[in-house]
Amino acid sequence: MFKNEDKGQGSIEFLFLISFGIILALLLTNSLAQEYDLTLSILAAKNGVTTGLDGGRLSVFEKSAYNKYKINNSVLTHPNSIKLVKIETIDRGYDSRYNRTSIQIKAFVSSSSVMLKGDRTSTGDRINFNLRKSITMTFGTSNLTNTLHNPCFSNHHVYTTANVQWV
């Protein structure tokens, strides 16, 4: 009597399966894109820290700036050994001002030659500037920030930096 009852059942199940697969793929794509964005940002930050660490050795100073550094911060005008220990990120949640997730980055460095507080502050500022600049250059977002690249942006996140921690 009801012989045609199960016709079309396979088609509906197939459509449900395809729909579930598409929804799952879209959810995973968004999550993976944010993870990729964060990973690429951390790599850019490490590259920026390296540039900041080498900055004193590779920089070309204006004569007045060099003379000021030579008198007040002589250790910063000569090669020194500053090593990156680690980079830490802190998820500060969604920032409605920028419509992005806010991440704070903190670099931990060590040195036996940079001992004075003023020298460490100056070096830390240079490290953080180069860290932020590297992120904006990686994502092409330097037009979204100020000349100090603070805050800096990627596709899904907004980054700020904490003071460099000397260990």
Side-chain angles (χ1 to χ4, degrees):
M1 182 172 183
F2 298 102
K3 292 182 182 178
N4 293 331
E5 190 174 290
D6 58 351
K7 285 192 175 186
Q9 184 69 29
S11 299
I12 292 172
E13 288 172 352
F14 181 71
L15 288 175
F16 279 137
L17 185 63
I18 294 297
S19 299
F20 178 73
I22 290 171
I23 291 170
L24 184 63
L26 291 174
L27 291 173
L28 283 175
T29 300
N30 187 37
S31 177
L32 291 175
Q34 288 194 14
E35 285 300 316
Y36 175 75
D37 186 88
L38 184 60
T39 302
L40 189 58
S41 299
I42 292 170
L43 290 173
K46 287 181 181 179
N47 186 43
V49 168
T50 302
T51 303
L53 294 176
D54 292 338
R57 289 175 269 197
L58 304 175
S59 294
V60 176
F61 296 101
E62 292 181 12
K63 186 160 181 71
S64 62
Y66 179 78
N67 289 336
K68 181 180 170 188
Y69 263 38
K70 189 175 179 180
I71 294 167
N72 298 326
N73 307 90
S74 62
V75 72
L76 301 180
T77 60
H78 301 292
N80 49 43
S81 59
I82 304 172
K83 294 181 182 168
L84 174 64
V85 176
K86 69 178 180 175
I87 291 181
E88 186 177 276
T89 59
I90 300 166
D91 186 339
R92 302 185 86 176
Y94 184 76
D95 191 332
S96 60
R97 293 176 295 174
Y98 303 111
N99 294 324
R100 290 176 164 88
T101 302
S102 178
I103 304 287
Q104 184 180 52
I105 300 175
K106 183 183 244 184
F108 292 81
V109 297
S110 68
S111 175
S112 59
S113 62
V114 181
M115 301 303 283
L116 297 175
K117 184 178 180 183
D119 292 343
R120 287 185 172 196
T121 301
S122 181
T123 303
D125 289 345
R126 183 177 67 217
I127 289 169
N128 276 338
F129 170 79
N130 284 291
L131 182 155
R132 293 187 307 264
K133 182 179 178 185
S134 180
I135 291 173
T136 59
M137 298 306 280
T138 298
F139 289 97
T141 57
S142 57
N143 61 327
L144 299 176
T145 188
N146 60 23
T147 57
L148 297 175
H149 304 281
N150 194 20
C152 57
F153 299 92
S154 67
N155 297 327
H156 298 280
H157 300 93
V158 58
Y159 297 94
T160 57
T161 51
N163 290 337
V164 170
Q165 186 72 39
W166 293 85
V167 292

